[in-house]
Amino acid sequence: MADLPSIAKVVVNLALDREFDYRIPERLRGQLRVGCRVWVPFGRSSRIGYVVGVAEKSTWPDLKELMRIEGEQEQIPENLITLARWIADYYCCAHEQAVRAMLPAVVRHGKMKPRQHLFAWLRPGVDVAAELEKCGARAKKRAAVLQVLARHGGACEAGWLTREAEATPAILNTLVKAGIVLTEHRVVDRDPNAGGDIVLPTRPLELTPEQTTALARITAALDRRGPGVILLHGVTGSGKTEVYLQAIARCLEQGREAIVLVPEIALTPQTVERFRSRFGDRISVLHSHLSDGERFDEWTRIRNGRAQIAVGARSALFAPFQKLGLVVVDEEHETTYKQDEAPRYNARDVAVVRGKFEGATVLLGTATPSLESFYNCQLGKYELARLSSRVDHQLMPAMELVDQRAEASQKGGAPLFSRRLMQLIRERLDNGEQTILFLNRRGFATQMICQKCGFVATCEHCSAAYTYHKQAAHLACHLCGATIRAPEACPQCRDPEIRDAGTGTEKIETIAAKLFPKAAIARMDSDSMTAKHAHRDTLSAFRSGKIQILIGTQMIAKGLHFPKVTLVGIMAADMGLHLPDFRAGERTFQLLVQVAGRAGRGDLPGRVIVQTYTPFHPVLQFAMRQDYDAFYREELTTRQALNFPPAAHMAAVHFRAPSEMVASAAAEAFVARIKPQLDPGVELFGPMPAPIAKVRNQYRYQLMIRGGSILRLGQTLRPLVTGATAFRHEDVEIHVDIDPQSLL
Ligand SMILES: [Zn+2]
Ligand SMILES: [Zn+2]
């Protein structure tokens, strides 16, 4: 016992950001491991915490003794405790906060138990014929139970058995008492797929030469069994998913495990089905709509090695595997990988770190790489593999630009629909082909404006104009969700000429219905998709051809693969281009390329109409040519000139307060404290009001800090936002965002 550690380092469920030392009692020394949940004395009461480390001795005198271990096995494996520590340091949050983010709540609370069912089987050596004879004509039920058991062979579930034999549990019991039948409770996983569609197994597809080369690179990295990152840059329709599937198969052959991250699991049903049909039971799909019991079982299945592949959104990265070989991050450029509450981690970047710690290969896949990832390839940190053509000899869609300024001066057009677009939609309707119309803004109109006095209906809680929703007959704030009834006259001057301005998907739908009265049209955005299976049902109606025109927001931008879609209309390509955000150009390029990629995924060639008021904007020009490299070069030059990511690291500090004065005063005080601590060459901008200056009655101020080492910057910022040394200002909420995705 002497060589076992005697001190446990524990974080408790308090945002103190400190590890507390406790003595490990003799009786627990053999069982206690890092990751265990433990009860410890704390102040005058006791608390539950996690063991994050062990030691031989402590620098603290008079340590209290740890009380007991909660649960049978350690909840968090040690590899994840190490990762949590890295997250806390890098993203400037409390250690305990990072640990919590890794465990589903149902696991953390520790109340859920595995589900058990009773199983029954015949005692070996029992002479069934003789027993049946004993039952005779009177004990018919008893005989029926024996017959079912004999026919079934092996153990069967007791509930099923009694139903099948039309008997009662009491009859089964008499057989158990007589020593003829044996029973036992066994763990039965709650199956999230029970009653779902039957999945047909698939075999690996034949690869194109480019896919073969890419897979060979990934396989070589897996075979090295050390860390490595590969960026798989493949155009839309180039078969990235098949490469993922075969790389995972290789990883499993090595006896190792794999994680697949997708941006939003509900929006990528087709991708998830492909994984399920290739790997069957070995896969665990971590949906957001799993019940607590299902989530608990899935987590336990992974923890115990019964599932070897975890597929899910952001938090699936923390699947408690012990032999991780591969992490796939699909659509690595997506902003949904960044969590917008503490810990504000980016799952793509943390995947790279987990891979490094655990000797796993990390595969980042996309048609439109983030500037950061492509830059890392240039620096030699990541390997680059490319798929430049589509599979099955499909062509990239033909892109056509329509200048809406010229269109507006012509006769015979309709609002928002160019004549070219209308003509092509009509052709599709005549030929039985399908159309997708994309506009990244929901609602009917983006504003209500009085034609007389210029009044704009604005949310009283936020600095944002209300969006007009015609069907619901209300104005809604897309920042805070507040709604009011749509006014019939201007609230300011009482003029009835208050009008809607700007366009949302609802207006596109209304106009499309007038232009193409015989077509079946559906709209897919977060307003129309509120019912539970609405998303799935709409997609299956579209697949079967019941819907001819599908209108939607970014919800329809990615992952969809419908062979009959031969036309994509991008209604307003410049919509996101002029947002006050340094990533506006990058986002627009990515969206255009991804949406265009939905066209021509079958035997028929695809066409994309891009409507715009700024046809010569370089971002649109690069997207029209699908020329990522040229886009990257131009965008990187700008970022380097301005010292923005990926040329420099960036952190933002946000201040939220009920009054503008308080927010600004807190920000000033924070600057006074941090400025003397910054390394030379690090630039600090602000404090300044955020571009969206007020949300939910909270005024927002921010600082931007750029340049220098991000690790050093984290070391400076972290003590200011966590633990006892944290900077405090009455009524002000402060948070740090490292590598922010948006500055709005
Ligand atoms: Zn007015
Ligand atoms: Zn609002």
Side-chain angles (χ1 to χ4, degrees), residues 450 453 490 493:
C450 173
C453 74
C490 171
C493 73

Side-chain angles (χ1 to χ4, degrees), residues 458-466 476-483 694-697:
T458 310
C459 176
E460 58 176 310
H461 312 289
C462 309
S463 45
Y466 276 123
C477 171
H478 287 184
L479 292 177
C480 74
T483 56
K694 186 176 80 166
V695 176
R696 288 193 177 84
N697 296 320

Side-chain angles (χ1 to χ4, degrees), residues 230-242:
I230 298 169
L231 175 66
L232 179 62
H233 177 203
V235 298
T236 54
S238 61
K240 291 185 287 293
T241 308
E242 187 59 34

Side-chain angles (χ1 to χ4, degrees), residues 435-438 565-570 595-596 598-599 607-609:
T435 301
I436 285 180
L437 300 177
F438 171 80
V565 174
T566 56
L567 176 64
V568 166
I570 297 173
V595 177
R598 300 312 115 213
R607 187 169 284 285
V608 182
I609 295 295

